[in-house]
Amino acid sequence: GNWGKQPGTKSIGGLSKEIRHNESIFVRTERGELIRIVSKSIIDVIHVDSDGKEYGLYEEIHTPHGWVRRHEDPISHNGVKEKALPMERPLETALRGLKEEMGVRGLSNTELEDLSFIGSKDEELDSSGYPGLNTRYTFNGFTFKLPKRFYKPKYYFREGRRRMRLLWEEIV
C-alpha cells in the first residue's frame, strides 16, 4: 500500500512496532473482519494568561508543504493525544502524554487536581495513519489547566519520523 508514502500516514513498520508494544491490538469481528483496537487519552490543555484570557492547544504536523494543522484521528480533538500502553489506566496515559509532548512532570497534588477526567467514548473509524484499516478507538477525555511553570509558546515533539508541534489559540 501507500502507507508511509502519503503525507500523514505511517509505515507498515510503524504498525508492527505498535503491535509489538501492544499499542495496537487486533481482534476479529463477528463477521470475521480484522479490526484494530486503540485506546487514547485526549487532554484538552488550557492556559490562562495574566488578563484571564483562555487558550487551548492544537496540533500541527510537518509536511513537505510546511506545517499543517492536523485534522485526523478523527479530529474534533485538540490538545495532547496519547495512545495507551497495555494495562495502562487512562490517567497514566494522560500523564505520560503530557510528559512526552510538553515536558510536564513532577506535578504537585494541587496541580494534579487540575487534570480532570471528563468521560470516554468509543468510535469506529478508518485510521488516519493507516488508511483503509478499520480501528475501534476508545477516547478518554481530560481537561488540564496548565501550571504557569510549564507554559511555552510552542512545544515540539516527534512521533516516529513525523515532526509535530503544539500551538495555542484563544478559546472564544
Side-chain angles (χ1 to χ4, degrees):
N2 282 334
W3 290 355
K5 295 184 187 77
Q6 297 161 317
T9 65
K10 300 180 189 176
S11 67
I12 193 78
L15 181 60
S16 71
K17 186 174 161 214
E18 283 184 20
I19 294 166
R20 277 198 313 280
H21 293 176
N22 290 316
E23 291 175 348
S24 283
I25 295 164
F26 283 85
V27 297
R28 285 209 179 278
T29 65
E30 306 74 50
R31 297 188 303 277
E33 299 162 337
L34 271 185
I35 189 166
R36 176 173 162 244
I37 307 286
V38 173
S39 179
K40 282 189 172 191
S41 285
I42 313 282
I43 309 99
D44 192 7
V45 182
I46 299 183
H47 164 67
V48 182
D49 74 7
S50 50
D51 299 328
K53 282 197 184 120
E54 289 195 352
Y55 296 85
L57 279 179
Y58 67 95
E59 197 174 58
E60 287 188 337
I61 184 167
H62 194 266
T63 71
H65 311 290
W67 288 101
V68 178
R69 188 166 178 146
R70 203 165 154 205
H71 278 290
E72 53 153 85
D73 198 283
I75 289 242
S76 42
H77 304 299
N78 284 327
V80 172
K81 297 176 274 305
E82 191 65 46
K83 266 196 212 91
L85 297 172
M87 305 309 289
E88 196 172 47
R89 295 194 303 271
L91 179 63
E92 294 168 322
T93 306
L95 287 168
R96 187 169 53 78
L98 290 168
K99 184 170 122 192
E100 289 174 7
E101 297 186 8
M102 298 178 67
V104 171
R105 53 172 58 80
L107 292 173
S108 69
N109 286 339
T110 314
E111 290 170 335
L112 268 172
E113 286 171 16
D114 287 328
L115 178 60
S116 311
F117 178 68
I118 50 177
S120 68
K121 66 175 183 181
D122 294 328
E123 286 184 47
E124 209 162 296
L125 302 149
D126 188 29
S127 165
S128 59
Y130 309 109
L133 183 57
N134 270 344
T135 303
R136 187 176 298 146
Y137 291 95
T138 299
F139 294 108
N140 296 295
F142 292 84
T143 57
F144 181 51
K145 193 171 165 226
L146 187 71
K148 300 249 183 292
R149 63 193 173 110
F150 295 113
Y151 174 81
K152 289 183 201 161
K154 291 181 183 134
Y155 302 85
Y156 290 92
F157 64 99
R158 295 188 91 88
E159 246 177 37
R161 295 196 319 258
R162 307 195 295 177
R163 285 173 43 213
M164 318 290 289
R165 70 180 181 185
L166 296 165
L167 304 168
W168 298 100
E169 64 187 352
E170 191 173 345
I171 300 168
V172 280

